[in-house]
Amino acid sequence: MLTLRNVSKTYPSAQGPVHVLRGIDLDLPAGQTLALTGESGSGKSTLLHLAAALDAADGGEIVVAGQSLVGMGDSARAQLRRERIGLVFQQFNLVPSLKVRENLAFQARIAGRHDPAWVESLTQKLGLSKLVDRYPEQLSGGQQQRVAIGRTLACRPNLILADEPTGNLDEETSDAVLKLCLDLVEQTGSAFLMVTHSPRLAGLLGRRIHLSAGRLA
Amino acid sequence: MKRHLWTLAVLLSHWRRRPFQLMTLVIGLAVATALWSGVQALNVQARQSYDQAARLIGGDAFASLRPTNGTNFEQALYVTLRRAGWDVSPVIEGDVRIADRSIRIVGIDPVTLPQGAGPITRDALDDGPETADGSGESRAVRLLTAPSLALGDAETVAALGGVDTRPTLGNGGQLPPLVVATSLPPETLVTDVGVAQALLDQPGRLSRLILTAAPETRSQSLADLTGGALERVEPDDQGDLERLTDSFHLNLTAFGFLSFLVGLFIVHGAIGLAFEQRRPMLRTMRACGVSARALTAVMLLELTTISALAGIIGTVAGYVIASALLPDVAASLRGLYGARVAGELSLQPSWWLAGVAISVIGALVAAGSSLYRAWRLPLFATAQPEAWAGAEARARRWQLAAAVFLAAIAIGVLLQASGLVAGFVLMGSVLLAAALLLPSALVGLLAIAQRLVRGPVAQWFFADARQQSGGLSLALMALLLALAVNIGVGTMVDSFRQTFTGWLDQRLAAELYVGARDPARAADIADWLETRNDVDAVLPVWDAETRYRGFPVEVFGFSNHPTYSDHWPLLASLPDAWSEAEAGRAVLISEQLARRFALAPGDPIDIAAPGGDWDGTVAAIYSDYGNPRGQVMIAVDELVARFPHAERGNFAVRVAPEAVDTVMDDLTAAFGAGTVEVVDQRTIKDISQRIFDRTFAVTLALNTLTLIVAGIALLASLLTLADARLPQLAPLWALGLTRRRLAAMELIKAATLALLTALLAIPLGLAVAWILTNVINVEAFGWQLPVYAFPEQWLRLIVLALITAIAAAAWPALSLRRMPPTKLLKVFADER
Ligand SMILES: Nc1ncnc2c1ncn2[C@@H]1O[C@H](COP(=O)(O)OP(=O)(O)O)[C@@H](O)[C@H]1O
Ligand SMILES: [Mg+2]
């Protein structure tokens, strides 16, 4: 579902170019889960942004759901994100002016594949039924992240990319939210790539890779 | 498509949570549109009336023969021309008073009037036989048969008593029955030429001839036939009125535009703030698969929809404003230019469309930078977020650079360019430059204050005020502009009032002004006055019209008397100006004429006159405020010799002050109110002051509205910032400051910022006043004024600014006082 071949990324900086990624090779087939660990500043988020078609690599090739990202324009990338990819962020990134119910449905609606029954069952499974009429600011961090996960799953993406999704949550909540998430991912058959600091959480996923000095180990 | 609608719905959800912000945006746009389109409505309405007046009797389609000296001529000339084969039709025009209204009477000859000569034939005379009495005769026939008809537009006919009534004139004459005709200018009645001559006391005289065709073979030239009395004037779609009133309308437009700009500042602020607050939302949408193009397009759609709605509200409000101001505008146009403007608005659909369009265009301009930033929005927050202070400082550097650039333009215009447009460019660049400098100036002043005070709370107060000034800067800029323009216009108007009052005292030195309603009795009246012991002098105020290099000029005859040499408001003169003028070797000219043709004392001048052109020198220049025409003062004997048809009915009479009332009563008793009109000095001054006040009523009204707009801007900005203020205040509350004390400090801070802005507005306002009086008025009206300072006016505005700021800050401060501790605590919870 996600393939990286010899991917590199360099940022310019005042002290000269910073080679964040130097030739990354990665395969993530459908239905598999993968944890990506690494020091802070090692380039985990950079890799995730490249895979999510949010940014373009300087070298190598990235293929998502059979489509190569090389040379792809903004509209096509947006379409790919809409239809194939789900993103979960550390800061939840909910739309503050939409109620929980609207936040859950929002990406699926933009993708044109809103399925009310599926959203309803997600809402129940994520334990959000009583909260649907609240605004994000009226929720706790764990509740907000569950909404973000629900929003992502609502459009049944082929590839889910999560950047330290539990980074803002306490240990207990983290475990609960992640387990719930993995259950649902299994049901949808998506590929799941999660960046995390925690070896404990990484252990809950199918496979684990480590990023260091711009290379995978 | 559906996708875009969903995107739009998500964008719009922002306003649901922040109704005040939406209100600010809509109010800003609506007010800007209202002021702009209101002013446009006034201009359109006035021009419509000028056009009708110009088109009346073919002014725009047919050439005409007009008297070279500007006064009515003998009907015999008309007969001569027709005998010589000229296809001409006679017209007489003049003003009469009917029940305290001045009405223009136009006399025509329906028999010779050419087809298609203005609305008269097309719409009025050919209206067919549907006459009020059902006699079946066409209006053309009824015009010719006694008692004839008087055609007027619906408004005028209704105001004079309605169809078929026959109102009585001030001079005792009686109008023919009134009939409504379409397409006539306001306050104008059209009737048969013979009837009009009688009504106007001008028997056997004509104002001009409409020329349909000159004879193919001309045995004699026009000049030979008429002895040089008539000249041919080509059709003109822009009448004198339009030309004379141009600067009045330009002034109005400029103030409308200024108000519009102040409104756009608010809009820019509201849109920028909304963009900043929606940045995370936009980013999320992009991450969820909305392309940059789609997002920008939807934002454009959102903005267009909101601004079109605001535009509709604004245009309706503009209509209301224009209706309210129209009577004053019409009155000042009449007072200043003798122009007749309809008292009711009748606007084309295009005006409504333009109102909505200007709102949309204004919003797009104000949103330009925000839209661009949305288009280029980075998809993920950068690892090192920009320091807030750094971004602010950079913005200030840009503002400084732009201010310097604008100041350079202002200096360039001041040194190099001239003309009214250059004057407004100068004013615009000075105002904008000052507005852009304001944030830097405030930050500098507050930094100095912070260094001067002791105690952590006081220091925090100034540091925080400095930080807050960034978020408020657009509202404060709007306040600065509104205050400065208010001070500038207020200073100009009050300086003018002071100058004008002094000038009236000089110009109106005589105790009584007497006019003969019946010109034939003028000499009798003068003789009667001369014989009285309590009358010191009877001075003729006789005048004629001519043109100087195409510019309309009044020639005014004066006689040798200290009333003139002691009082007349001379601006510049030769040493022996009065004696030279009395001897007929020189003239005195008005400031307008001098400026227009760059004439100075000692320059030669020639004046066209039917009784032989007059050559001499300019002896002096005097101020003649409020007169759109040029004026020349000439010895009365010269006037009589050169202008045989000069108006000779008016006199200024010097009377012992205690005898004024007796002389007035005796005069009226001796001749009757129908023959003589007598006004004392006080009354004339009152009338002049009233005209003066009405002239500036519109400007002052626009000013006040602009100030209200700035107040709304400040209120809205403080309201939208109130939420963002919490993180700054919560720590202080946690440290032990009471909510009441915090609220008080918020109030004082808003007042401090407003006070500093108001203080900075004073020098800027004086600069505006200087530009208005020394550049714009000189270009627009042809006269210059001294500028006086009116500190009590500044004080009033400062207090007003403080009240506005305190009122605007009161709501957020109150809600802070009442805020439950849990909400303040949440600030900390969010900072995990
Ligand atoms: N937009 C950018 N411009 C310059 N340098 C960047 C940018 N984004 C990230 N970096 C740098 O790239 C490196 C990797 O960053 P990131 O991928 O965010 O690391 P991680 O997520 O593993 O903590 C860091 O040194 C960071 O400073
Ligand atoms: Mg990271």
Side-chain angles (χ1 to χ4, degrees):
Chain A
M1 193 48 57
L2 171 68
T3 311
L4 275 69
R5 288 282 165 265
N6 197 22
V7 169
S8 60
K9 179 74 183 176
T10 307
Y11 287 117
S13 85
Q15 292 79 36
V18 184
H19 301 281
V20 181
L21 302 177
R22 319 163 173 252
I24 302 283
D25 289 296
L26 180 72
D27 271 298
L28 179 60
Q32 289 200 9
T33 61
L34 174 66
L36 174 61
T37 54
E39 303 272 299
S40 183
S42 59
K44 307 181 295 293
S45 296
T46 303
L47 195 155
L48 208 78
H49 290 154
L50 295 180
L54 288 171
D55 201 359
D58 297 329
E61 188 181 23
I62 302 173
V63 180
V64 176
Q67 296 181 47
S68 170
L69 298 188
V70 176
M72 200 182 248
D74 179 68
S75 297
R77 283 161 181 274
Q79 189 183 359
L80 185 71
R81 280 201 300 278
R82 217 157 50 223
E83 293 173 355
R84 304 284 181 193
I85 302 174
L87 285 164
V88 184
F89 302 94
Q90 184 174 351
Q91 296 84 5
F92 323 133
N93 286 10
L94 299 177
V95 176
S97 51
L98 294 183
K99 291 180 178 168
V100 166
R101 182 201 310 283
E102 296 155 344
N103 261 297
L104 281 169
F106 143 68
Q107 188 173 3
R109 287 202 143 120
I110 285 179
R113 52 168 81 164
H114 178 52
D115 176 352
W118 169 233
V119 173
E120 182 52 40
S121 88
L122 273 177
T123 312
Q124 267 169 26
K125 283 176 185 151
L126 289 164
L128 296 170
S129 301
K130 287 198 182 122
L131 307 175
V132 287
D133 282 322
R134 294 205 186 170
Y135 285 100
E137 61 175 24
Q138 298 164 321
L139 301 182
S140 72
Q143 290 168 334
Q144 289 196 42
Q145 194 59 295
R146 277 186 278 154
V147 177
I149 289 168
R151 175 182 74 192
T152 302
L153 290 168
C155 48
R156 301 184 210 257
N158 301 84
L159 171 64
I160 299 177
L161 301 165
D163 194 348
E164 304 192 40
T166 57
N168 274 348
L169 306 179
D170 59 56
E171 201 168 283
E172 212 174 309
T173 318
S174 298
D175 284 8
V177 167
L178 183 59
K179 285 203 178 108
L180 201 57
C181 180
L182 288 172
D183 275 357
L184 289 167
V185 166
E186 201 176 36
Q187 284 178 33
T188 51
S190 313
F192 184 71
L193 171 61
M194 180 178 82
V195 168
T196 182
H197 262 98
S198 154
R200 190 176 47 79
L201 290 178
L204 294 175
L205 272 68
R207 210 150 49 99
R208 174 175 170 177
I209 49 174
H210 188 77
L211 184 61
S212 143
R215 290 176 204 284
L216 286 179
Chain B
M1 190 56 217
K2 211 168 161 191
R3 189 165 80 234
H4 299 320
L5 284 181
W6 278 114
T7 313
L8 180 63
V10 174
L11 275 176
L12 289 177
S13 71
H14 172 81
W15 307 114
R16 195 172 60 197
R17 303 298 317 279
R18 299 182 187 271
F20 278 129
Q21 212 173 47
L22 180 62
M23 208 179 75
T24 315
L25 181 59
V26 171
I27 289 181
L29 269 175
V31 170
T33 310
L35 292 178
W36 171 257
S37 55
V39 163
Q40 287 313 314
L42 295 173
N43 285 342
V44 166
Q45 187 64 51
R47 295 229 167 86
Q48 213 162 296
S49 297
Y50 307 154
D51 276 354
Q52 284 178 334
R55 276 210 319 276
L56 181 68
I57 334 277
D60 60 341
F62 293 91
S64 57
L65 304 181
R66 290 169 197 264
T68 41
N69 62 5
T71 47
N72 289 349
F73 56 92
E74 290 299 334
Q75 196 166 317
L77 278 179
Y78 163 64
V79 181
T80 312
L81 284 166
R82 282 211 69 105
R83 285 216 186 101
W86 289 70
D87 204 348
V88 286
S89 180
V91 176
I92 179 158
E93 291 167 303
D95 294 347
V96 295
R97 291 203 71 77
I98 307 174
D100 265 359
R101 307 170 69 97
S102 161
I103 298 287
R104 169 134 282 224
I105 299 281
V106 179
I108 55 162
D109 173 26
V111 179
T112 52
L113 192 69
Q115 278 299 312
I120 285 304
T121 46
R122 273 203 301 274
D123 302 326
L125 295 183
D126 294 347
D127 273 353
E130 38 88 31
T131 50
D133 58 6
S135 64
E137 290 172 325
S138 79
R139 285 180 174 176
V141 174
R142 287 188 62 201
L143 256 179
L144 282 171
T145 44
S148 187
L149 288 176
L151 301 112
D153 75 343
E155 208 181 310
T156 310
V157 168
L160 293 178
V163 172
D164 276 343
T165 53
R166 301 192 58 185
T168 313
L169 303 190
N171 64 9
Q174 196 180 25
L175 283 177
L178 296 174
V179 174
V180 173
T182 46
S183 305
L184 288 181
E187 299 177 355
T188 301
L189 292 175
V190 175
T191 184
D192 176 65
V193 65
V195 176
Q197 285 170 335
L199 290 172
L200 295 167
D201 279 331
Q202 297 273 312
R205 302 181 68 79
L206 297 173
S207 305
R208 61 190 168 98
L209 301 172
I210 303 170
L211 176 62
T212 324
E216 306 256 297
T217 51
R218 263 184 250 183
S219 45
Q220 260 183 307
S221 75
L222 182 64
D224 291 344
L225 267 171
T226 63
L230 296 184
E231 64 184 352
R232 184 185 168 128
V233 177
E234 293 310 317
D236 186 2
D237 50 15
Q238 192 202 17
D240 265 356
L241 259 188
E242 193 136 2
R243 226 164 287 139
L244 284 174
T245 52
D246 243 6
S247 37
F248 180 90
H249 292 295
L250 186 61
N251 245 348
L252 216 53
T253 306
F255 280 107
F257 188 65
L258 210 63
S259 316
F260 184 68
L261 270 190
V262 171
L264 279 200
F265 262 85
I266 303 171
V267 176
H268 180 72
I271 292 178
L273 193 63
F275 173 78
E276 285 308 324
Q277 288 172 344
R278 290 201 288 191
R279 193 193 282 268
M281 174 210 271
L282 299 179
R283 202 171 265 147
T284 303
M285 290 210 272
R286 295 274 279 122
C288 289
V290 180
S291 66
R293 187 168 351 132
L295 192 60
T296 316
V298 173
M299 286 182 79
L300 261 175
L301 178 68
E302 179 199 31
L303 189 65
T304 313
T305 313
I306 294 178
S307 56
L309 284 177
I312 292 171
I313 300 175
T315 318
V316 171
Y319 186 88
V320 174
I321 292 177
S323 312
L325 293 181
L326 187 58
D328 277 337
V329 172
S332 29
L333 284 169
R334 183 178 315 126
L336 282 174
Y337 309 102
R340 289 156 197 286
V341 173
E344 274 166 36
L345 285 175
S346 65
L347 295 163
Q348 308 286 318
S350 63
W351 175 83
W352 294 92
L353 283 180
V356 177
I358 193 88
S359 168
V360 173
I361 293 171
L364 289 179
V365 169
S369 67
S370 289
L371 285 174
Y372 178 77
R373 278 184 289 166
W375 170 256
R376 303 302 306 261
L377 183 74
L379 281 179
F380 37 89
T382 43
Q384 283 95 21
E386 270 178 345
W388 172 87
E392 286 273 307
R394 220 177 33 235
R396 280 206 304 276
R397 273 202 297 281
W398 272 109
Q399 287 171 346
L400 267 177
V404 169
F405 176 70
L406 285 167
I409 291 184
I411 292 172
V413 167
L414 193 58
L415 294 180
Q416 293 297 330
S418 63
L420 199 49
V421 173
F424 283 118
V425 170
L426 173 66
M427 173 119 98
S429 41
V430 166
L431 282 173
L432 265 183
L436 289 171
L437 282 176
L438 179 70
S440 306
L442 285 179
V443 165
L445 287 175
L446 291 169
I448 293 172
Q450 188 184 348
R451 226 170 295 140
L452 292 179
V453 297
R454 263 166 233 276
V457 175
Q459 289 202 334
W460 170 82
F461 177 86
F462 283 110
D464 195 61
R466 200 163 56 161
Q467 197 198 34
Q468 204 183 355
S469 73
L472 287 177
S473 65
L474 280 164
L476 291 174
M477 285 182 195
L479 184 66
L480 177 81
L481 291 184
L483 286 175
V485 172
N486 263 277
I487 291 176
V489 171
T491 303
M492 174 192 76
V493 172
D494 282 355
S495 296
F496 193 11
R497 180 173 287 122
Q498 193 156 320
T499 310
F500 185 74
T501 312
W503 172 81
L504 275 183
D505 287 342
Q506 293 180 305
R507 278 290 287 256
L508 302 176
E511 285 73 21
L512 285 181
Y513 291 84
V514 175
R517 290 215 156 101
D518 178 358
R521 304 295 305 278
D524 297 343
I525 294 170
D527 291 344
W528 183 91
L529 284 166
E530 297 275 15
T531 55
R532 284 183 69 108
N533 283 336
D534 45 8
V535 171
D536 294 338
V538 181
L539 308 169
V541 184
W542 296 351
D543 67 317
E545 279 174 29
T546 182
R547 280 175 185 261
Y548 181 72
R549 295 197 229 162
F551 185 59
V553 167
E554 303 163 356
V555 184
F556 161 43
F558 75 100
S559 54
N560 180 6
H561 195 268
T563 303
Y564 295 107
S565 40
D566 290 355
H567 296 285
W568 210 247
L570 297 187
L571 296 171
S573 72
L574 299 178
D576 46 358
W578 288 106
S579 55
E580 282 295 294
E582 277 149 17
R585 289 190 289 274
V587 291
L588 295 88
I589 65 172
S590 70
E591 184 184 2
Q592 283 89 310
L593 192 62
R595 282 189 190 278
R596 178 171 279 251
F597 299 105
L599 295 170
D603 287 351
I605 186 171
D606 54 294
I607 293 162
D613 290 359
W614 185 94
D615 282 304
T617 50
V618 174
I621 294 164
Y622 58 92
S623 44
D624 186 30
Y625 302 120
N627 192 348
R629 290 160 216 276
Q631 202 180 60
V632 169
M633 276 173 80
I634 190 168
V636 72
D637 298 339
E638 291 291 327
L639 179 82
V640 172
R642 316 255 171 189
F643 296 89
H645 297 300
E647 285 276 352
R648 292 188 219 182
N650 297 316
F651 302 91
V653 184
R654 299 307 307 260
V655 182
E658 62 280 2
V660 167
D661 289 337
T662 338
V663 174
M664 279 177 83
D665 293 345
D666 291 355
L667 187 61
T668 316
F671 290 91
T675 307
V676 69
E677 186 176 22
V678 51
V679 213
D680 66 350
Q681 197 190 68
R682 185 70 266 137
T683 314
I684 291 212
K685 280 184 184 165
D686 285 349
I687 293 171
S688 308
Q689 286 287 357
R690 241 190 340 267
I691 292 179
F692 176 88
D693 287 340
R694 287 200 118 173
T695 303
F696 290 102
V698 181
T699 321
L700 292 176
L702 282 179
N703 258 330
T704 311
L705 287 174
T706 314
L707 201 60
I708 293 174
V709 173
I712 295 174
L714 202 58
L715 176 66
S717 306
L718 283 167
L719 288 179
T720 35
L721 281 182
D723 271 357
R725 299 279 307 140
L726 274 188
Q728 263 93 49
L729 299 176
L732 288 156
W733 170 74
L735 288 174
L737 287 179
T738 61
R739 277 171 296 160
R740 173 215 278 258
R741 180 143 178 225
L742 283 175
M745 281 172 55
E746 287 294 283
L747 271 184
I748 297 172
K749 217 175 314 160
T752 307
L753 288 172
L755 178 68
L756 288 176
T757 306
L759 290 177
L760 292 171
I762 292 174
L764 182 60
L766 290 179
V768 170
W770 186 87
I771 296 173
L772 280 172
T773 49
N774 285 274
V775 183
I776 290 181
N777 275 352
V778 178
E779 294 290 347
F781 303 115
W783 66 71
Q784 197 170 15
L785 291 171
V787 179
Y788 303 103
F790 298 91
E792 72 277 22
Q793 196 184 60
W794 307 344
L795 206 67
R796 211 168 48 231
L797 280 174
I798 288 176
V799 171
L800 207 64
L802 284 181
I803 293 175
T804 311
I806 290 174
W811 169 256
L814 266 182
S815 59
L816 179 68
R817 256 194 82 173
R818 297 221 193 92
M819 187 165 290
T822 46
K823 193 152 180 211
L824 282 164
L825 274 173
K826 198 163 180 316
V827 172
F828 298 111
D830 283 349
E831 275 175 359
R832 262 184 319 194

